[in-house]
Amino acid sequence: MKKNLLFLFVALSLQTISAQNQTTIIAIKNDAGAPTINKNIYGHFAEHLGRCIYGGFFVGDTSKIPNTKGVRNDIIAALKDLKIPNLRWPGGCFADTYHWKDGIGPQEQRPTIVNKWWGGVTEDNSFGTHDFLNMCEVLGAEPYLSGNVGSGTVQELADWVQYTNFSGKSPMSDLRRKNGRTEPWKVKFWGIGNEAWGCGGNMTAEYYAGEYRKFATFMSDWENTGGITRIASGSNGSDYNWTEVMMKNIPLNMLGGLGVHHYAVIDWNKKGDGVDFTELQYFQTMKSALKMEELVTKHAAIMDKYDPEKKVAMLVDEWGGWYEVEKGTNPGFLYQQNTMRDAVLAGATLNIFNNHADRVRMANLAQCVNVLQAVILTDKAKMITTPTYHVMKLYAVHQDAKLLPVSFQSPLYTVNGETLPAVSASASKDKNGAVHISLVNVDSKNKNKIEIDIKDLGVKNFTGSVITSSKLQDYNSFDTPNKIVPVIFKGFENKKGKLEITIPPFSVVVLEGK
């Protein structure tokens, strides 16, 4: 028995050493037919949920926290530095109980409602259409408005389009001018309901397809170039029948985009702590996150059947990690900390979106401030950026760059007999000819060696940045806001046209070649 145990120990040790010495060969192709990575893949999401809007973006113009018309200046600066391309609002589930006319006009005259979805708190509508759209203008971000289908009317949504987009004389444009805005905002992206299969009305796919067609018929914008992009509520994860019904039953000329929602969750009934997690829980989270590859591939295959020219965009307009709320916080506010696990999750997910840029043309991380996998956290006057923020900032180089397709056989990350691909990668070339390669090591214990032939990429000199830390559970706190930030990466050599890279465990690396 002892000999058998000794043999097993030696075998496992040799297997570990072999895994650490294995080199992953990544081929990067200069493909003239490859798609451009749409900048909107790097979008964000702001719902009236917890402290995302109130106490997050919006503190009111009487606050001592520096603000412009009630919106925090530090958050605006951080998001502009992130090059945020678009922002989805007002939900989420909240969208299908939101009546936009409650949020316009003098604040003291706006009615209050109860936010039935998130904590049962009173919503005073002090942050509304003007506040959001003006903020998007300052950010340089495209607004993505989610319309109320669940409890709203066709007329209400059609009026909102006219209010925001029409420059001529009409009842809604006159009302907009009365409320202080002369020129229209020209909102392009419009969601027709949210999660219609669930909180948006518990509709069947067939019923929602009919509702979508009705609402879309009365939403028009003849004045602005390109009109509006109407977006259908997409599937819940792997509900492929939902996508099939949408593509089959909605005429393509009425469908600008189709959503998909997927959260990385260990177990919806026992989601685990945001900071105090084990390696097994980390593995389970990443297993759920990496399922995004399968979801995008299978939904895209269905869309291809009805739309071979890929005119309809796939929008992964809710994604991210979802854990139990931080201890002592309101369970309806979904406030969670953001660790190195989230950095790895973000990097690997964005690589998937980049590599499917032919179909995925928008995505929205949930959510922007103080909710779920936020890029920004606030505590009264304090504000910090999270590891996820820093990943998205490094990856901003891929926005509107030409995809360079990658191919490789990943080594495996093994926990309790289960395996995941350890290495994730994507690459692009920007308009100035610079090449960017983003690499993620999902393995929580072992470094990985990577080799990339760069002779045909037209670049010679590389620099790099890395995001990592001493523990997976590390995070940026209000006392140590810069514990996890990008630092210079030197773990590579250029040997006769081949990059030899050693990427640390649970890390995100971005290389730039010029």
Side-chain angles (χ1 to χ4, degrees), residues 35-50:
T36 295
I37 299 171
N38 195 309
K39 67 179 180 180
N40 286 313
I41 283 173
Y42 292 83
H44 293 264
F45 177 26
E47 183 169 3
H48 285 243
L49 195 176

Side-chain angles (χ1 to χ4, degrees), residues 321-336:
W322 194 320
Y323 320 117
E324 302 292 350
V325 301
E326 285 295 292
K327 296 178 180 68
T329 65
N330 188 319
F333 284 8
L334 305 187
Y335 178 81
Q336 63 189 40

Side-chain angles (χ1 to χ4, degrees), residues 28 79 126 136 143 155 239 257 278 286 309 386 436 508:
I28 300 180
L79 293 179
S126 56
C136 286
Q155 185 68 58
D239 185 353
T278 64
M286 290 309 303
E309 295 181 5
T386 66
H436 295 98
V508 180

Side-chain angles (χ1 to χ4, degrees), residues 1-10:
M1 182 66 179
K2 287 183 178 179
K3 286 183 178 179
N4 288 340
L5 287 173
L6 179 62
F7 176 79
L8 181 62
F9 174 77
V10 171

